[in-house]
């Protein structure tokens, strides 16, 4: 089965998002030394999710331009 570049890119982004989400929710102490509470974990996850929504929007805009050119 041939996997297109866009599909492979999305698969890689999904794997990165999953790993980072897992790390956020299992860590006890953040990188700067504070103890993670459920609220801070949720805040970190929301920031991560907003970043990935931005990536999805950029990919969608690029897809619209590529399909428009064909």
């Amino acid at each position: 089965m041939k996997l297109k570049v866009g599909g492979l890119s999305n698969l890689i982004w999904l794997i990165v998002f999953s790993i980072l989400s897992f790390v956020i929710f299992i860590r006890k102490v953040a990188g700067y030394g504070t103890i993670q509470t459920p609220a801070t974990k949720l805040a970190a996850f929301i920031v991560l999710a907003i970043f990935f929504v931005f990536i999805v929007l950029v990919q969608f805009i690029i897809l619209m331009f590529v399909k428009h050119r064909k």
Side-chain angles (χ1 to χ4, degrees):
M1 183 172 124
K2 212 173 179 182
L3 191 61
K4 293 184 180 180
V5 174
L8 182 62
S9 168
N10 288 336
L11 180 64
I12 291 170
W13 281 116
L14 179 65
I15 292 169
V16 168
F17 181 76
S18 300
I19 290 171
L20 290 176
S21 297
F22 181 72
V23 168
I24 286 172
F25 285 108
I26 65 164
R27 67 183 180 181
K28 302 282 186 212
V29 178
Y32 45 87
T34 60
I35 296 174
Q36 293 291 289
T37 64
T40 57
K41 289 180 182 183
L42 183 60
F45 179 74
I46 289 172
V47 169
L48 180 67
I50 289 171
F51 174 71
F52 278 96
V53 166
F54 176 74
I55 290 173
V56 167
L57 289 175
V58 169
Q59 283 185 346
F60 181 72
I61 291 170
I62 291 172
L63 178 67
M64 295 302 287
F65 281 119
V66 168
K67 281 195 171 190
H68 180 67
R69 294 181 89 193
K70 287 186 178 182

